[in-house]
Amino acid sequence: MEGPITQATGHNNTIVSVYRDRVELRSGWQSQNVESVGLRDVAVIGIKGLVNVTLTIETNTGRVFQLNRMALPDARRIKNTFEQQKRRAGLYD
């Protein structure tokens, strides 16, 4: 089993992890709720704010995940790693 390339934590211990082929969001007590979204299914990852940053992940189906109160370096690292993985997979036009 491969480990994540990078990961960060938002408010209420919501963890976002970027893997080679997907993005995983874990929440709940002991991270029992897992949402996995493939690279092809993610439309946009955006960052809003400077101090308590909101990381927004939007899928092609219109589903939106928001991770609030993240540190800016963590949010930037998630966004940059995701874009790098998408570029490597040749999914950008």
Side-chain angles (χ1 to χ4, degrees), residues 54-75:
T54 300
L55 179 75
T56 305
I57 300 172
E58 187 174 339
T59 67
N60 291 331
T61 60
R63 194 153 184 207
V64 177
F65 301 98
Q66 287 191 333
L67 283 89
N68 298 316
R69 295 188 191 170
M70 288 185 74
L72 182 60
D74 291 345

Side-chain angles (χ1 to χ4, degrees), residues 2-5 17-24 26 39 85:
E2 69 182 67
I5 296 170
S17 303
V18 178
Y19 291 87
R20 190 176 52 82
D21 60 343
R22 69 189 185 280
V23 176
E24 263 188 14
R26 295 179 175 265
L39 287 181
Q85 287 304 109

